[in-house]
Amino acid sequence: MCIFCKIISGDIPNKTIMENETFLAFEDINPLRKIHILVIPKEHFSSFNTTPANIIGQMTGFIQELTKKLNLNENGYRLITNIGENGGQEVEHLHFHILGGEKVGRLVDKR
Ligand code: 5GP
Ligand code: ZN
């Protein structure tokens, strides 16, 4: 079972921000900004590439509800999903990162 499936099953504890029967939003264990939340589907999909479009659509609605609830919409936030090796994906269970609570900053140019 993957690490995020263990979070969903309760085998690994998490700090839940919001959930419904299909999705879970919880705090990242290693926050990169003041707010760093991960949003995952409760069903295992390895990445954005292998997730059915209707799940992505439902997830969009869930994330919009979450950011509204956390008052992130006025000042904005960053939404990221890393895909595969070049994308820097470490956990092979689809997740969106929500980064905010302060200016996130630009991606640094490749040197
Ligand atoms: P990725 O690099 O795959 O896009 O991001 C994986 C994220 O999962 C990282 O930001 C990492 O800090 C987070 N993470 C890894 N293991 C755990 C865990 O056990 N609990 C929580 N809350 N976050 C985790
Ligand atoms: Zn999983």
PDB file of all heavy atoms in Angstrom, residues 3-4 7 12-15 26-32 36 38 80-83 87-93 95-97, ligand 1:
ATOM      1  N   ILE A   3       2.084   5.255   0.600  1.00  0.00           N
ATOM      2  CA  ILE A   3       2.077   6.059   1.833  1.00  0.00           C
ATOM      3  C   ILE A   3       0.787   6.889   1.980  1.00  0.00           C
ATOM      4  O   ILE A   3       0.256   7.023   3.091  1.00  0.00           O
ATOM      5  CB  ILE A   3       3.359   6.920   1.898  1.00  0.00           C
ATOM      6  CG1 ILE A   3       3.582   7.476   3.287  1.00  0.00           C
ATOM      7  CG2 ILE A   3       3.397   7.999   0.862  1.00  0.00           C
ATOM      8  CD1 ILE A   3       4.981   7.983   3.508  1.00  0.00           C
ATOM      9  N   PHE A   4       0.246   7.388   0.871  1.00  0.00           N
ATOM     10  CA  PHE A   4      -0.991   8.179   0.973  1.00  0.00           C
ATOM     11  C   PHE A   4      -2.201   7.265   1.166  1.00  0.00           C
ATOM     12  O   PHE A   4      -3.161   7.664   1.835  1.00  0.00           O
ATOM     13  CB  PHE A   4      -1.149   9.097  -0.241  1.00  0.00           C
ATOM     14  CG  PHE A   4      -0.207  10.289  -0.232  1.00  0.00           C
ATOM     15  CD1 PHE A   4      -0.143  11.145  -1.322  1.00  0.00           C
ATOM     16  CD2 PHE A   4       0.617  10.560   0.856  1.00  0.00           C
ATOM     17  CE1 PHE A   4       0.726  12.247  -1.331  1.00  0.00           C
ATOM     18  CE2 PHE A   4       1.495  11.656   0.862  1.00  0.00           C
ATOM     19  CZ  PHE A   4       1.542  12.493  -0.235  1.00  0.00           C
ATOM     20  N   ILE A   7      -2.316   6.813   4.749  1.00  0.00           N
ATOM     21  CA  ILE A   7      -2.923   7.986   5.403  1.00  0.00           C
ATOM     22  C   ILE A   7      -4.444   7.885   5.323  1.00  0.00           C
ATOM     23  O   ILE A   7      -5.152   8.108   6.309  1.00  0.00           O
ATOM     24  CB  ILE A   7      -2.375   9.292   4.773  1.00  0.00           C
ATOM     25  CG1 ILE A   7      -0.950   9.533   5.311  1.00  0.00           C
ATOM     26  CG2 ILE A   7      -3.292  10.486   5.053  1.00  0.00           C
ATOM     27  CD1 ILE A   7      -0.244  10.740   4.744  1.00  0.00           C
ATOM     28  N   ILE A  12      -1.317   5.747   8.957  1.00  0.00           N
ATOM     29  CA  ILE A  12      -0.393   6.859   9.222  1.00  0.00           C
ATOM     30  C   ILE A  12      -1.254   8.070   9.581  1.00  0.00           C
ATOM     31  O   ILE A  12      -2.185   8.399   8.848  1.00  0.00           O
ATOM     32  CB  ILE A  12       0.485   7.172   7.981  1.00  0.00           C
ATOM     33  CG1 ILE A  12       1.395   5.985   7.663  1.00  0.00           C
ATOM     34  CG2 ILE A  12       1.307   8.440   8.193  1.00  0.00           C
ATOM     35  CD1 ILE A  12       2.207   6.152   6.386  1.00  0.00           C
ATOM     36  N   PRO A  13      -0.978   8.708  10.738  1.00  0.00           N
ATOM     37  CA  PRO A  13      -1.806   9.850  11.139  1.00  0.00           C
ATOM     38  C   PRO A  13      -1.592  11.065  10.235  1.00  0.00           C
ATOM     39  O   PRO A  13      -0.545  11.186   9.589  1.00  0.00           O
ATOM     40  CB  PRO A  13      -1.330  10.156  12.566  1.00  0.00           C
ATOM     41  CG  PRO A  13       0.015   9.541  12.687  1.00  0.00           C
ATOM     42  CD  PRO A  13       0.081   8.401  11.717  1.00  0.00           C
ATOM     43  N   ASN A  14      -2.583  11.931  10.186  1.00  0.00           N
ATOM     44  CA  ASN A  14      -2.452  13.165   9.391  1.00  0.00           C
ATOM     45  C   ASN A  14      -3.238  14.272  10.051  1.00  0.00           C
ATOM     46  O   ASN A  14      -4.116  14.029  10.875  1.00  0.00           O
ATOM     47  CB  ASN A  14      -2.958  12.941   7.959  1.00  0.00           C
ATOM     48  CG  ASN A  14      -4.475  12.928   7.887  1.00  0.00           C
ATOM     49  OD1 ASN A  14      -5.131  13.938   7.693  1.00  0.00           O
ATOM     50  ND2 ASN A  14      -5.065  11.741   8.105  1.00  0.00           N
ATOM     51  N   LYS A  15      -2.894  15.499   9.678  1.00  0.00           N
ATOM     52  CA  LYS A  15      -3.655  16.660  10.140  1.00  0.00           C
ATOM     53  C   LYS A  15      -4.635  17.042   9.034  1.00  0.00           C
ATOM     54  O   LYS A  15      -4.280  17.698   8.067  1.00  0.00           O
ATOM     55  CB  LYS A  15      -2.715  17.815  10.462  1.00  0.00           C
ATOM     56  CG  LYS A  15      -1.854  17.542  11.690  1.00  0.00           C
ATOM     57  CD  LYS A  15      -1.025  18.763  12.062  1.00  0.00           C
ATOM     58  CE  LYS A  15      -0.146  18.457  13.280  1.00  0.00           C
ATOM     59  NZ  LYS A  15       0.879  19.500  13.487  1.00  0.00           N
ATOM     60  N   PHE A  26      -5.001  17.508   3.642  1.00  0.00           N
ATOM     61  CA  PHE A  26      -4.274  17.430   4.916  1.00  0.00           C
ATOM     62  C   PHE A  26      -2.970  18.218   4.801  1.00  0.00           C
ATOM     63  O   PHE A  26      -2.496  18.522   3.707  1.00  0.00           O
ATOM     64  CB  PHE A  26      -3.991  15.960   5.289  1.00  0.00           C
ATOM     65  CG  PHE A  26      -3.193  15.180   4.278  1.00  0.00           C
ATOM     66  CD1 PHE A  26      -1.826  14.935   4.469  1.00  0.00           C
ATOM     67  CD2 PHE A  26      -3.788  14.694   3.117  1.00  0.00           C
ATOM     68  CE1 PHE A  26      -1.084  14.220   3.540  1.00  0.00           C
ATOM     69  CE2 PHE A  26      -3.044  13.980   2.173  1.00  0.00           C
ATOM     70  CZ  PHE A  26      -1.694  13.736   2.390  1.00  0.00           C
ATOM     71  N   GLU A  27      -2.393  18.537   5.962  1.00  0.00           N
ATOM     72  CA  GLU A  27      -1.160  19.333   5.978  1.00  0.00           C
ATOM     73  C   GLU A  27       0.024  18.508   5.499  1.00  0.00           C
ATOM     74  O   GLU A  27       0.195  17.350   5.905  1.00  0.00           O
ATOM     75  CB  GLU A  27      -0.882  19.841   7.401  1.00  0.00           C
ATOM     76  CG  GLU A  27      -1.867  20.898   7.849  1.00  0.00           C
ATOM     77  CD  GLU A  27      -1.574  21.411   9.251  1.00  0.00           C
ATOM     78  OE1 GLU A  27      -0.503  21.095   9.815  1.00  0.00           O
ATOM     79  OE2 GLU A  27      -2.435  22.129   9.782  1.00  0.00           O
ATOM     80  N   ASP A  28       0.867  19.124   4.668  1.00  0.00           N
ATOM     81  CA  ASP A  28       2.114  18.479   4.262  1.00  0.00           C
ATOM     82  C   ASP A  28       3.025  18.367   5.486  1.00  0.00           C
ATOM     83  O   ASP A  28       3.126  19.296   6.291  1.00  0.00           O
ATOM     84  CB  ASP A  28       2.813  19.295   3.156  1.00  0.00           C
ATOM     85  CG  ASP A  28       3.888  18.490   2.442  1.00  0.00           C
ATOM     86  OD1 ASP A  28       4.928  18.178   3.079  1.00  0.00           O
ATOM     87  OD2 ASP A  28       3.699  18.154   1.257  1.00  0.00           O
ATOM     88  N   ILE A  29       3.708  17.235   5.626  1.00  0.00           N
ATOM     89  CA  ILE A  29       4.576  16.983   6.784  1.00  0.00           C
ATOM     90  C   ILE A  29       5.797  17.908   6.784  1.00  0.00           C
ATOM     91  O   ILE A  29       6.372  18.180   7.841  1.00  0.00           O
ATOM     92  CB  ILE A  29       4.987  15.492   6.824  1.00  0.00           C
ATOM     93  CG1 ILE A  29       5.392  15.059   8.217  1.00  0.00           C
ATOM     94  CG2 ILE A  29       6.076  15.186   5.803  1.00  0.00           C
ATOM     95  CD1 ILE A  29       5.513  13.554   8.377  1.00  0.00           C
ATOM     96  N   ASN A  30       6.163  18.394   5.611  1.00  0.00           N
ATOM     97  CA  ASN A  30       7.349  19.252   5.474  1.00  0.00           C
ATOM     98  C   ASN A  30       6.944  20.535   4.724  1.00  0.00           C
ATOM     99  O   ASN A  30       7.258  20.695   3.547  1.00  0.00           O
ATOM    100  CB  ASN A  30       8.435  18.476   4.710  1.00  0.00           C
ATOM    101  CG  ASN A  30       9.687  19.278   4.507  1.00  0.00           C
ATOM    102  OD1 ASN A  30      10.018  20.156   5.317  1.00  0.00           O
ATOM    103  ND2 ASN A  30      10.392  19.018   3.411  1.00  0.00           N
ATOM    104  N   PRO A  31       6.235  21.440   5.431  1.00  0.00           N
ATOM    105  CA  PRO A  31       5.653  22.596   4.735  1.00  0.00           C
ATOM    106  C   PRO A  31       6.706  23.518   4.126  1.00  0.00           C
ATOM    107  O   PRO A  31       7.669  23.893   4.794  1.00  0.00           O
ATOM    108  CB  PRO A  31       4.848  23.314   5.830  1.00  0.00           C
ATOM    109  CG  PRO A  31       5.387  22.814   7.123  1.00  0.00           C
ATOM    110  CD  PRO A  31       5.920  21.433   6.870  1.00  0.00           C
ATOM    111  N   LEU A  32       6.505  23.864   2.851  1.00  0.00           N
ATOM    112  CA  LEU A  32       7.441  24.735   2.134  1.00  0.00           C
ATOM    113  C   LEU A  32       7.018  26.204   2.226  1.00  0.00           C
ATOM    114  O   LEU A  32       7.816  27.087   1.914  1.00  0.00           O
ATOM    115  CB  LEU A  32       7.545  24.306   0.671  1.00  0.00           C
ATOM    116  CG  LEU A  32       8.055  22.873   0.450  1.00  0.00           C
ATOM    117  CD1 LEU A  32       8.017  22.525  -1.038  1.00  0.00           C
ATOM    118  CD2 LEU A  32       9.470  22.706   1.002  1.00  0.00           C
ATOM    119  N   HIS A  36       0.716  24.852   3.440  1.00  0.00           N
ATOM    120  CA  HIS A  36       1.104  23.808   2.481  1.00  0.00           C
ATOM    121  C   HIS A  36       0.205  22.606   2.732  1.00  0.00           C
ATOM    122  O   HIS A  36       0.389  21.838   3.678  1.00  0.00           O
ATOM    123  CB  HIS A  36       2.582  23.437   2.630  1.00  0.00           C
ATOM    124  CG  HIS A  36       3.082  22.525   1.543  1.00  0.00           C
ATOM    125  ND1 HIS A  36       4.417  22.252   1.364  1.00  0.00           N
ATOM    126  CD2 HIS A  36       2.433  21.819   0.574  1.00  0.00           C
ATOM    127  CE1 HIS A  36       4.564  21.429   0.334  1.00  0.00           C
ATOM    128  NE2 HIS A  36       3.378  21.142  -0.148  1.00  0.00           N
ATOM    129  N   LEU A  38      -1.921  19.218   1.055  1.00  0.00           N
ATOM    130  CA  LEU A  38      -1.991  18.228  -0.019  1.00  0.00           C
ATOM    131  C   LEU A  38      -3.438  17.778  -0.179  1.00  0.00           C
ATOM    132  O   LEU A  38      -4.131  17.561   0.826  1.00  0.00           O
ATOM    133  CB  LEU A  38      -1.114  17.010   0.306  1.00  0.00           C
ATOM    134  CG  LEU A  38       0.380  17.284   0.502  1.00  0.00           C
ATOM    135  CD1 LEU A  38       1.083  16.006   0.987  1.00  0.00           C
ATOM    136  CD2 LEU A  38       1.023  17.791  -0.779  1.00  0.00           C
ATOM    137  N   ILE A  80      -0.126  22.945  -7.514  1.00  0.00           N
ATOM    138  CA  ILE A  80       0.902  22.202  -8.269  1.00  0.00           C
ATOM    139  C   ILE A  80       0.612  20.714  -8.195  1.00  0.00           C
ATOM    140  O   ILE A  80       0.245  20.206  -7.130  1.00  0.00           O
ATOM    141  CB  ILE A  80       2.305  22.406  -7.640  1.00  0.00           C
ATOM    142  CG1 ILE A  80       2.755  23.874  -7.699  1.00  0.00           C
ATOM    143  CG2 ILE A  80       3.353  21.533  -8.316  1.00  0.00           C
ATOM    144  CD1 ILE A  80       4.044  24.131  -6.926  1.00  0.00           C
ATOM    145  N   THR A  81       0.807  20.019  -9.301  1.00  0.00           N
ATOM    146  CA  THR A  81       0.912  18.563  -9.211  1.00  0.00           C
ATOM    147  C   THR A  81       2.146  18.125  -9.990  1.00  0.00           C
ATOM    148  O   THR A  81       2.334  18.505 -11.147  1.00  0.00           O
ATOM    149  CB  THR A  81      -0.373  17.832  -9.683  1.00  0.00           C
ATOM    150  OG1 THR A  81      -0.209  16.434  -9.426  1.00  0.00           O
ATOM    151  CG2 THR A  81      -0.702  18.058 -11.147  1.00  0.00           C
ATOM    152  N   ASN A  82       3.026  17.432  -9.326  1.00  0.00           N
ATOM    153  CA  ASN A  82       4.250  16.939  -9.951  1.00  0.00           C
ATOM    154  C   ASN A  82       3.959  15.590 -10.604  1.00  0.00           C
ATOM    155  O   ASN A  82       3.267  14.753 -10.017  1.00  0.00           O
ATOM    156  CB  ASN A  82       5.357  16.786  -8.903  1.00  0.00           C
ATOM    157  CG  ASN A  82       5.726  18.120  -8.270  1.00  0.00           C
ATOM    158  OD1 ASN A  82       5.766  19.143  -8.948  1.00  0.00           O
ATOM    159  ND2 ASN A  82       5.979  18.114  -6.972  1.00  0.00           N
ATOM    160  N   ILE A  83       4.497  15.391 -11.804  1.00  0.00           N
ATOM    161  CA  ILE A  83       4.234  14.156 -12.546  1.00  0.00           C
ATOM    162  C   ILE A  83       5.552  13.511 -12.956  1.00  0.00           C
ATOM    163  O   ILE A  83       6.342  14.125 -13.703  1.00  0.00           O
ATOM    164  CB  ILE A  83       3.372  14.440 -13.788  1.00  0.00           C
ATOM    165  CG1 ILE A  83       2.028  15.066 -13.357  1.00  0.00           C
ATOM    166  CG2 ILE A  83       3.149  13.172 -14.609  1.00  0.00           C
ATOM    167  CD1 ILE A  83       1.410  15.949 -14.391  1.00  0.00           C
ATOM    168  N   GLY A  87       9.142  15.683 -13.363  1.00  0.00           N
ATOM    169  CA  GLY A  87       8.262  16.586 -12.612  1.00  0.00           C
ATOM    170  C   GLY A  87       8.605  16.650 -11.136  1.00  0.00           C
ATOM    171  O   GLY A  87       8.081  17.502 -10.411  1.00  0.00           O
ATOM    172  N   GLY A  88       9.440  15.724 -10.663  1.00  0.00           N
ATOM    173  CA  GLY A  88       9.842  15.712  -9.250  1.00  0.00           C
ATOM    174  C   GLY A  88       8.835  15.024  -8.348  1.00  0.00           C
ATOM    175  O   GLY A  88       8.788  15.278  -7.148  1.00  0.00           O
ATOM    176  N   GLN A  89       8.036  14.099  -8.915  1.00  0.00           N
ATOM    177  CA  GLN A  89       7.048  13.389  -8.098  1.00  0.00           C
ATOM    178  C   GLN A  89       7.719  12.334  -7.237  1.00  0.00           C
ATOM    179  O   GLN A  89       8.431  11.472  -7.751  1.00  0.00           O
ATOM    180  CB  GLN A  89       6.009  12.727  -9.016  1.00  0.00           C
ATOM    181  CG  GLN A  89       4.897  12.025  -8.244  1.00  0.00           C
ATOM    182  CD  GLN A  89       3.855  11.384  -9.152  1.00  0.00           C
ATOM    183  OE1 GLN A  89       4.011  11.363 -10.372  1.00  0.00           O
ATOM    184  NE2 GLN A  89       2.814  10.852  -8.551  1.00  0.00           N
ATOM    185  N   GLU A  90       7.493  12.421  -5.915  1.00  0.00           N
ATOM    186  CA  GLU A  90       8.086  11.438  -4.994  1.00  0.00           C
ATOM    187  C   GLU A  90       7.080  10.405  -4.530  1.00  0.00           C
ATOM    188  O   GLU A  90       7.434   9.252  -4.337  1.00  0.00           O
ATOM    189  CB  GLU A  90       8.718  12.167  -3.801  1.00  0.00           C
ATOM    190  CG  GLU A  90       9.985  12.901  -4.228  1.00  0.00           C
ATOM    191  CD  GLU A  90      10.700  13.606  -3.091  1.00  0.00           C
ATOM    192  OE1 GLU A  90      10.139  13.652  -1.979  1.00  0.00           O
ATOM    193  OE2 GLU A  90      11.809  14.107  -3.339  1.00  0.00           O
ATOM    194  N   VAL A  91       5.847  10.830  -4.320  1.00  0.00           N
ATOM    195  CA  VAL A  91       4.809   9.893  -3.882  1.00  0.00           C
ATOM    196  C   VAL A  91       3.907   9.578  -5.071  1.00  0.00           C
ATOM    197  O   VAL A  91       3.308  10.483  -5.666  1.00  0.00           O
ATOM    198  CB  VAL A  91       3.977  10.475  -2.720  1.00  0.00           C
ATOM    199  CG1 VAL A  91       2.887   9.504  -2.306  1.00  0.00           C
ATOM    200  CG2 VAL A  91       4.878  10.809  -1.525  1.00  0.00           C
ATOM    201  N   GLU A  92       3.823   8.295  -5.401  1.00  0.00           N
ATOM    202  CA  GLU A  92       3.084   7.890  -6.598  1.00  0.00           C
ATOM    203  C   GLU A  92       1.611   7.644  -6.307  1.00  0.00           C
ATOM    204  O   GLU A  92       1.085   6.535  -6.502  1.00  0.00           O
ATOM    205  CB  GLU A  92       3.758   6.674  -7.241  1.00  0.00           C
ATOM    206  CG  GLU A  92       5.105   7.065  -7.835  1.00  0.00           C
ATOM    207  CD  GLU A  92       5.701   6.011  -8.755  1.00  0.00           C
ATOM    208  OE1 GLU A  92       5.200   4.864  -8.761  1.00  0.00           O
ATOM    209  OE2 GLU A  92       6.654   6.349  -9.460  1.00  0.00           O
ATOM    210  N   HIS A  93       0.974   8.670  -5.768  1.00  0.00           N
ATOM    211  CA  HIS A  93      -0.482   8.708  -5.551  1.00  0.00           C
ATOM    212  C   HIS A  93      -0.853  10.155  -5.853  1.00  0.00           C
ATOM    213  O   HIS A  93      -0.299  11.070  -5.225  1.00  0.00           O
ATOM    214  CB  HIS A  93      -0.790   8.326  -4.093  1.00  0.00           C
ATOM    215  CG  HIS A  93      -2.242   8.300  -3.721  1.00  0.00           C
ATOM    216  ND1 HIS A  93      -2.828   7.218  -3.081  1.00  0.00           N
ATOM    217  CD2 HIS A  93      -3.217   9.222  -3.846  1.00  0.00           C
ATOM    218  CE1 HIS A  93      -4.112   7.481  -2.852  1.00  0.00           C
ATOM    219  NE2 HIS A  93      -4.370   8.705  -3.302  1.00  0.00           N
ATOM    220  N   HIS A  95      -1.570  13.795  -6.125  1.00  0.00           N
ATOM    221  CA  HIS A  95      -1.798  14.838  -5.114  1.00  0.00           C
ATOM    222  C   HIS A  95      -1.556  16.204  -5.717  1.00  0.00           C
ATOM    223  O   HIS A  95      -0.654  16.388  -6.526  1.00  0.00           O
ATOM    224  CB  HIS A  95      -0.905  14.634  -3.893  1.00  0.00           C
ATOM    225  CG  HIS A  95       0.561  14.478  -4.194  1.00  0.00           C
ATOM    226  ND1 HIS A  95       1.088  13.311  -4.714  1.00  0.00           N
ATOM    227  CD2 HIS A  95       1.598  15.332  -4.077  1.00  0.00           C
ATOM    228  CE1 HIS A  95       2.383  13.468  -4.887  1.00  0.00           C
ATOM    229  NE2 HIS A  95       2.736  14.687  -4.518  1.00  0.00           N
ATOM    230  N   PHE A  96      -2.377  17.151  -5.293  1.00  0.00           N
ATOM    231  CA  PHE A  96      -2.151  18.556  -5.615  1.00  0.00           C
ATOM    232  C   PHE A  96      -1.594  19.220  -4.366  1.00  0.00           C
ATOM    233  O   PHE A  96      -2.089  18.995  -3.261  1.00  0.00           O
ATOM    234  CB  PHE A  96      -3.452  19.247  -6.021  1.00  0.00           C
ATOM    235  CG  PHE A  96      -3.862  18.964  -7.447  1.00  0.00           C
ATOM    236  CD1 PHE A  96      -4.710  17.915  -7.744  1.00  0.00           C
ATOM    237  CD2 PHE A  96      -3.392  19.747  -8.488  1.00  0.00           C
ATOM    238  CE1 PHE A  96      -5.092  17.649  -9.051  1.00  0.00           C
ATOM    239  CE2 PHE A  96      -3.763  19.489  -9.809  1.00  0.00           C
ATOM    240  CZ  PHE A  96      -4.609  18.435 -10.083  1.00  0.00           C
ATOM    241  N   HIS A  97      -0.557  20.032  -4.566  1.00  0.00           N
ATOM    242  CA  HIS A  97      -0.030  20.869  -3.481  1.00  0.00           C
ATOM    243  C   HIS A  97      -0.756  22.215  -3.541  1.00  0.00           C
ATOM    244  O   HIS A  97      -0.850  22.817  -4.618  1.00  0.00           O
ATOM    245  CB  HIS A  97       1.457  21.164  -3.694  1.00  0.00           C
ATOM    246  CG  HIS A  97       2.358  19.969  -3.681  1.00  0.00           C
ATOM    247  ND1 HIS A  97       3.166  19.652  -2.616  1.00  0.00           N
ATOM    248  CD2 HIS A  97       2.599  19.009  -4.617  1.00  0.00           C
ATOM    249  CE1 HIS A  97       3.880  18.571  -2.893  1.00  0.00           C
ATOM    250  NE2 HIS A  97       3.555  18.161  -4.105  1.00  0.00           N
TER     251      HIS A  97
HETATM  252  P1  5GP B   1       5.779  15.142  -4.412  1.00  0.00           P
HETATM  253  O1  5GP B   1       7.257  15.435  -4.403  1.00  0.00           O
HETATM  254  O2  5GP B   1       5.509  13.688  -4.660  1.00  0.00           O
HETATM  255  O3  5GP B   1       5.005  16.057  -5.318  1.00  0.00           O
HETATM  256  O4  5GP B   1       5.267  15.524  -2.971  1.00  0.00           O
HETATM  257  C1  5GP B   1       5.144  14.617  -1.924  1.00  0.00           C
HETATM  258  C2  5GP B   1       4.829  15.426  -0.686  1.00  0.00           C
HETATM  259  O5  5GP B   1       4.354  14.543   0.305  1.00  0.00           O
HETATM  260  C3  5GP B   1       6.050  16.156  -0.099  1.00  0.00           C
HETATM  261  O6  5GP B   1       5.775  17.558  -0.040  1.00  0.00           O
HETATM  262  C4  5GP B   1       6.198  15.532   1.294  1.00  0.00           C
HETATM  263  O7  5GP B   1       6.588  16.468   2.280  1.00  0.00           O
HETATM  264  C5  5GP B   1       4.810  14.973   1.560  1.00  0.00           C
HETATM  265  N1  5GP B   1       4.795  13.792   2.421  1.00  0.00           N
HETATM  266  C6  5GP B   1       5.541  12.660   2.272  1.00  0.00           C
HETATM  267  N2  5GP B   1       5.243  11.779   3.240  1.00  0.00           N
HETATM  268  C7  5GP B   1       4.270  12.347   4.006  1.00  0.00           C
HETATM  269  C8  5GP B   1       3.541  11.909   5.166  1.00  0.00           C
HETATM  270  O8  5GP B   1       3.726  10.799   5.677  1.00  0.00           O
HETATM  271  N3  5GP B   1       2.632  12.770   5.687  1.00  0.00           N
HETATM  272  C9  5GP B   1       2.400  14.004   5.129  1.00  0.00           C
HETATM  273  N4  5GP B   1       1.476  14.767   5.740  1.00  0.00           N
HETATM  274  N5  5GP B   1       3.061  14.437   4.037  1.00  0.00           N
HETATM  275  C10 5GP B   1       3.977  13.622   3.489  1.00  0.00           C
END
